[in-house]
Amino acid sequence: MEQTVKKRKSGIVKRVVGIAIIPVICLIISLIMCASYHTVLFKDANSMSTYMYGTVYLTLIAFAVSVNLHSGRFDFSVGSMVTLTSTIVIVLACNGWGNMWILLLIALVSGAIAGLISGGLYLVLRLPPMICSLGVALLYEAVAYVIAGGSEQNNVILKNQVTSNVMKTFVGAGGKSPVYLLLILAVMTIFMVVVFHYTKFGYDYRALQSGQKIAVNTGANEYLNALLCYVISGTMAGAAGMLFGCQIQYTRVSGYLDFGTVDKMFVAFCPLFFSGFVMRYCNKQIAILISVAGYEFLQLAFGNMSAVDTTFTSTIYGIINSVILVLFLIYLNNENTVIEIVTLKKFLKQKKEPGHV
């Protein structure tokens, strides 16, 4: 009985450590980096606003990317959906639409429809998902370009100060309360957890990942499941687009043409790979949220360092970001070896063996 209790306690401790280790390491590294540049991580209320917005926005992007990525479908169109929905939100706000909840609903519906079209084209054309999504990305970039004005110098700027202030309040900009951001994050996270873990769709989704032929033979509809994946991905991208639109309050879509939107989804890759470790100790969606929360410490630190030293450019930041990703991938693929090196497991084992001098 005592052994069982000890094992249970040990398991709980292991889970807590596994869940918390990524954010804690990221926080420590961020504090060290900021200290080396004679600055601090959270300087003021604006820093907290930046962190909260970044965490919610990137979590939604990561949710959108992960839905198809974990099913083996690499979807390049997520970034274009974010740009499309943010363009719709900004243009509507410029035309007097000041109710943020209505704009959020429009963004969610627009994202869901965009995802439905993307998934439908993939299923009808039967092209590899990577190729199909690149075509869809070009299509949505062009649609956003037309909505925004359709000229080389198009630059839609929100000039209504009242609506501008409402949008800033909605995303907690300038040290304002992040209550709406937290509400959106909570609702979207609960939605993802419930849909992917407590519904037939979620059961079929996981079954198709582990064995497609067996899942289909037992009644899973792979085509419907794939289509719903695209719809859910588009909905998450729509929510992210709404927040992005409220944050920047202008759009110059000509700068996003010719796959300019693809980098919007790449920012989610590092936290998604972090979540590959964390999800061993909790479900996937919570793991993504926790990983993004940790990753945003690094993002905030890089921003503060850049403000202190202008030589710390986005290029240097990109290189560091890539190095972090590569190192983590090396760890994931050689985890046992790394653990043996760090804990001196092999050395201590040899020392305990009889006859070892």
Side-chain angles (χ1 to χ4, degrees):
M1 183 67 179
E2 286 182 13
Q3 244 182 349
T4 305
V5 172
K6 283 182 180 179
K7 281 184 179 180
R8 189 176 296 170
K9 286 183 179 179
S10 175
I12 292 171
V13 171
K14 189 176 180 181
R15 285 190 67 183
V16 171
V17 171
I19 291 170
I21 192 166
I22 292 292
V24 169
I25 289 175
C26 288
L27 178 59
I28 292 171
I29 292 172
S30 299
L31 291 171
I32 292 171
M33 289 193 303
C34 285
S36 68
Y37 275 72
H38 305 290
T39 185
V40 294
L41 189 60
F42 291 98
K43 296 186 290 186
D44 48 32
N46 284 327
S47 296
M48 181 57 73
S49 295
T50 301
Y51 176 78
M52 290 304 304
Y53 168 79
T55 298
V56 178
Y57 171 75
L58 190 53
T59 298
L60 294 173
I61 297 287
F63 281 164
V65 174
S66 69
V67 173
N68 283 308
L69 182 65
H70 292 154
S71 294
R73 294 184 294 267
F74 201 90
D75 185 7
F76 275 109
S77 66
V78 170
S80 65
M81 293 181 197
V82 174
T83 298
L84 176 60
T85 52
S86 66
T87 301
I88 292 171
V89 166
I90 293 166
V91 170
L92 288 175
C94 288
N95 284 279
W97 293 61
N99 189 311
M100 294 299 104
W101 297 108
I102 291 177
L103 288 178
L104 176 60
L105 180 61
I106 290 172
L108 293 174
V109 172
S110 300
I113 292 172
L116 179 66
I117 294 171
S118 180
L121 287 172
Y122 163 66
L123 293 175
V124 171
L125 297 176
R126 301 297 182 92
L127 292 170
M130 188 179 294
I131 295 173
C132 187
S133 64
L134 284 172
V136 171
L138 283 175
L139 172 64
Y140 290 157
E141 287 170 2
V143 172
Y145 179 69
V146 171
I147 292 172
S151 68
E152 286 300 322
Q153 300 300 322
N154 65 317
N155 194 5
V156 179
I157 303 173
L158 180 59
K159 296 178 181 177
N160 185 323
Q161 195 58 50
V162 175
T163 303
S164 175
N165 291 337
V166 172
M167 293 176 92
K168 287 178 181 177
T169 301
F170 192 76
V171 293
K176 294 180 175 65
S177 172
V179 61
Y180 299 126
L181 283 176
L182 293 174
L183 180 61
I184 291 170
L185 179 63
V187 170
M188 291 303 181
T189 302
I190 292 170
F191 170 79
M192 292 290 285
V193 170
V194 170
V195 167
F196 284 94
H197 294 274
Y198 299 100
T199 64
K200 185 180 185 303
F201 162 80
Y203 174 81
D204 290 344
Y205 175 82
R206 297 193 303 276
L208 287 164
Q209 283 180 321
S210 56
Q212 190 173 16
K213 190 174 181 179
I214 296 172
V216 171
N217 289 338
T218 54
N221 188 328
E222 59 179 318
Y223 298 109
L224 178 60
N225 196 272
L227 190 62
L228 289 175
C229 283
Y230 277 95
V231 171
I232 293 171
S233 176
T235 303
M236 294 296 119
M242 167 64 183
L243 299 183
F244 184 67
C246 288
Q247 180 78 356
I248 63 170
Q249 300 190 7
Y250 78 93
T251 179
R252 188 174 180 182
V253 189
S254 57
Y256 289 127
L257 294 175
D258 300 324
F259 303 119
T261 59
V262 172
D263 66 335
K264 285 189 179 299
M265 60 173 285
F266 282 157
V267 295
F269 276 22
C270 201
L272 277 175
F273 281 117
F274 286 175
S275 71
F277 172 83
V278 181
M279 70 174 64
R280 300 174 187 179
Y281 307 98
C282 60
N283 73 54
K284 183 174 78 173
Q285 287 70 38
I286 300 299
I288 290 173
L289 172 58
I290 290 169
S291 299
V292 170
Y295 179 72
E296 278 301 310
F297 287 132
L298 298 174
Q299 294 277 73
L300 184 60
F302 290 143
N304 291 346
M305 290 158 63
S306 179
V308 172
D309 187 352
T310 55
T311 60
F312 189 86
T313 62
S314 58
T315 303
I316 296 174
Y317 159 70
I319 293 170
I320 294 173
N321 206 26
S322 300
V323 169
I324 292 171
L325 179 57
V326 169
L327 289 174
F328 193 74
L329 286 173
I330 291 172
Y331 167 76
L332 284 181
N333 287 285
N334 301 276
E335 184 178 0
N336 292 332
T337 304
V338 172
I339 290 173
E340 284 184 357
I341 293 170
V342 172
T343 61
L344 301 175
K345 188 176 179 181
K346 188 178 285 189
F347 172 77
L348 293 173
K349 187 178 179 181
Q350 288 176 346
K351 197 172 182 181
K352 288 180 181 178
E353 286 177 357
H356 181 74
V357 180

